Amino acid sequence: MKEAGIFDQGLVFRGGFNQDNGYENTLKALKLFSPPTAIFAANNFIAIGALKALRAAGMRVPEDVSLVACDDLPEAMSVDPSLTVLNQPAYQMGYTAATLLIDDHSPTLQSVIDVCLKWSENIYAESMLYSMAPSGAEATEIGRAHV
C-alpha cells in the first residue's frame, strides 16, 4: 500500500487484540472526516468488536462498511453476517518460518513476510460487499481500509 501511495498511518488504529479494542477503535474511525467504507481487523476478536460498533452506530455490514479479518477461528462463522477472513494456517507458517531460520540464520523481515503470505489463503464470507475477482481477473476495489 505504501508503494502504491495509498497508505495513511493516520488510518491505523492500535490496541489490544480483543473485542473491546475493536469496538473502541471502530467508533474512533467512524468519527473521521471521511468515515471508512472498509475495515481490516488484525484478528477475529477485533472484527467482532468492530461489527458490534458498526451496528451500534446504525451501520450495516456489508452494505455500508465491508469488514475483513485475519485468522480463521470458529468465531468468524458464528456472527451474522459471517466474517470474511484471511486464513492463517499457523502450523504450516511456523514450520516454514522455522525451516527458514535454520537454513538461513539471518533472514530478512521481507523473507519472513513472504513465508506467511505464501501459506495464507482467502476465505470469502458475507461481511464484504465486494470480493476479489476470480484468479487472473482484476480485483474489485472495496474502499479505504481502517482499524
Side-chain angles (χ1 to χ4, degrees):
M1 290 178 65
K2 282 182 183 179
E3 290 174 13
I6 58 173
F7 180 78
D8 182 348
Q9 186 65 38
L11 302 177
V12 176
F13 295 84
R14 300 187 189 281
F17 289 87
N18 56 57
Q19 288 186 34
D20 290 342
N21 269 284
Y23 187 93
E24 293 165 12
N25 283 334
T26 298
L27 292 181
K28 289 177 189 175
L30 292 175
K31 292 177 183 175
L32 293 172
F33 176 74
S34 178
T37 58
I39 294 175
F40 179 82
N43 70 21
N44 290 343
F45 301 114
I46 296 170
I48 291 169
L51 181 61
K52 290 178 179 181
L54 291 167
R55 285 190 178 143
M59 308 286 289
R60 298 169 301 149
V61 175
E63 294 85 358
D64 300 320
V65 178
S66 294
L67 181 58
V68 180
C70 281
D71 279 344
D72 184 21
L73 302 175
E75 291 85 355
M77 297 302 144
S78 66
V79 296
D80 184 33
S82 59
L83 296 177
T84 302
V85 298
L86 175 67
N87 183 27
Q88 297 182 87
Y91 177 82
Q92 292 92 335
M93 291 167 64
Y95 180 86
T96 305
T99 302
L100 178 65
L101 287 170
I102 291 167
D103 293 346
D104 180 1
H105 298 291
S106 58
T108 64
L109 175 59
Q110 186 60 51
S111 64
V112 174
I113 290 170
D114 290 343
V115 165
C116 292
L117 292 176
K118 173 186 173 189
W119 284 107
S120 296
E121 57 187 69
N122 292 319
I123 297 177
Y124 297 108
E126 302 169 345
S127 68
M128 196 164 90
L129 189 57
Y130 305 101
S131 65
M132 299 297 286
S135 180
E138 263 185 55
T140 303
E141 184 177 335
I142 61 169
R144 294 175 33 199
H146 296 270
V147 180

